[in-house]
Protein backbone atom coordinates (compact mmCIF):
# COMPACT_ATOMS: atom_id res chain seq x y z
CA UNK A 1 0.00 0.00 0.00
CA UNK A 2 0.87 3.66 -0.11
CA UNK A 3 -0.17 6.92 1.53
CA UNK A 4 -2.21 9.65 -0.09
CA UNK A 5 -2.25 13.05 1.52
CA UNK A 6 -5.14 15.31 0.54
CA UNK A 7 -3.71 18.81 0.48
CA UNK A 8 -6.96 20.78 0.58
CA UNK A 9 -8.69 18.53 3.10
CA UNK A 10 -5.61 18.11 5.29
CA UNK A 11 -6.18 14.37 5.63
CA UNK A 12 -3.99 11.36 4.89
CA UNK A 13 -5.32 7.96 3.87
CA UNK A 14 -3.65 4.62 3.17
CA UNK A 15 -4.48 2.83 -0.07
CA UNK A 16 -4.06 -0.94 0.32
CA UNK A 17 -3.49 -3.39 -2.53
CA UNK A 18 -6.80 -4.18 -4.24
CA UNK A 19 -8.49 -0.87 -3.53
CA UNK A 20 -8.39 2.23 -5.74
CA UNK A 21 -7.30 5.69 -4.64
CA UNK A 22 -10.78 6.91 -5.60
CA UNK A 23 -12.50 4.34 -3.40
CA UNK A 24 -10.36 5.08 -0.35
CA UNK A 25 -10.40 8.87 -0.74
CA UNK A 26 -14.19 8.86 -1.11
CA UNK A 27 -14.49 7.62 2.45
CA UNK A 28 -13.24 11.01 3.62
CA UNK A 29 -14.15 13.24 0.64
CA UNK A 30 -17.45 11.80 -0.64
CA UNK A 31 -18.12 14.26 -3.47
CA UNK A 32 -15.31 13.30 -5.86
CA UNK A 33 -16.70 13.02 -9.40
CA UNK A 34 -16.20 9.83 -11.40
CA UNK A 35 -17.86 8.01 -14.25
CA UNK A 36 -16.20 5.01 -15.93
CA UNK A 37 -13.92 4.06 -13.01
CA UNK A 38 -11.82 2.20 -15.60
CA UNK A 39 -9.37 4.90 -16.62
CA UNK A 40 -11.01 5.79 -19.92
CA UNK A 41 -13.25 8.84 -19.44
CA UNK A 42 -11.09 11.42 -17.62
CA UNK A 43 -13.77 12.46 -15.11
CA UNK A 44 -11.67 11.67 -12.04
CA UNK A 45 -8.55 13.51 -13.24
CA UNK A 46 -6.82 14.94 -10.17
CA UNK A 47 -3.83 17.24 -9.80
CA UNK A 48 -0.72 15.63 -8.28
CA UNK A 49 1.26 18.01 -6.07
CA UNK A 50 3.99 15.60 -4.87
CA UNK A 51 5.06 12.02 -5.46
CA UNK A 52 5.27 9.73 -8.46
CA UNK A 53 1.98 8.45 -9.86
CA UNK A 54 1.76 5.01 -11.46
CA UNK A 55 -0.49 5.87 -14.40
CA UNK A 56 -2.77 3.00 -15.33
CA UNK A 57 -5.36 4.87 -17.38
CA UNK A 58 -5.95 4.52 -21.12
CA UNK A 59 -6.38 8.19 -22.03
CA UNK A 60 -3.40 10.29 -21.01
CA UNK A 61 -0.72 10.97 -23.61
CA UNK A 62 2.91 10.06 -23.04
CA UNK A 63 3.68 13.74 -22.50
CA UNK A 64 0.90 14.08 -19.92
CA UNK A 65 2.07 10.96 -18.12
CA UNK A 66 5.67 12.13 -18.02
CA UNK A 67 4.69 15.51 -16.58
CA UNK A 68 3.02 13.80 -13.58
CA UNK A 69 0.87 16.92 -13.21
CA UNK A 70 -2.40 14.99 -13.00
CA UNK A 71 -3.60 11.41 -12.72
CA UNK A 72 -6.78 9.35 -13.03
CA UNK A 73 -7.37 8.25 -9.47
CA UNK A 74 -9.89 5.51 -10.34
CA UNK A 75 -7.09 3.30 -11.65
CA UNK A 76 -3.80 5.10 -11.00
CA UNK A 77 -1.56 4.06 -8.14
CA UNK A 78 1.78 5.24 -6.72
CA UNK A 79 5.39 4.43 -7.48
CA UNK A 80 6.45 6.47 -4.45
CA UNK A 81 5.46 5.70 -0.84
CA UNK A 82 3.33 8.82 -0.75
CA UNK A 83 1.32 11.01 -3.11
CA UNK A 84 -0.01 14.48 -2.37
CA UNK A 85 -3.19 15.23 -4.30
CA UNK A 86 -5.05 18.51 -4.76
CA UNK A 87 -8.19 17.26 -3.04
FE1 LIG B 1 -13.20 7.60 -15.76
FE2 LIG B 1 -11.50 7.75 -13.73
S1 LIG B 1 -13.67 7.76 -13.65
S2 LIG B 1 -11.04 7.85 -15.84
Amino acid sequence: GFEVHLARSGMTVTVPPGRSILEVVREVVPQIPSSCEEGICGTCETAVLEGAPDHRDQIMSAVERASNATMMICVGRALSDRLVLDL
Side-chain angles (χ1 to χ4, degrees):
F2 55 92
E3 260 187 14
V4 175
H5 180 66
L6 310 176
R8 279 190 270 149
S9 312
M11 289 182 282
T12 301
V13 295
T14 300
V15 180
R19 296 192 74 198
S20 69
I21 296 176
L22 178 67
E23 195 181 341
V24 174
V25 170
R26 267 198 178 142
E27 292 177 353
V28 294
V29 185
Q31 69 277 18
I32 298 175
S34 73
S35 178
C36 72
E37 301 195 4
E38 293 179 355
I40 54 177
C41 74
T43 307
C44 70
E45 184 169 16
T46 299
V48 179
L49 303 177
E50 280 176 42
D54 179 8
H55 297 289
R56 298 191 181 185
D57 63 89
Q58 311 291 315
I59 50 169
M60 290 176 77
S61 70
V63 171
E64 287 170 330
R65 279 168 209 277
S67 82
N68 282 343
T70 67
M71 70 184 296
M72 304 304 157
I73 60 169
C74 63
V75 291
R77 305 195 68 81
L79 297 173
S80 49
D81 293 339
R82 184 172 186 262
L83 293 177
V84 180
L85 300 180
D86 187 22
L87 286 173

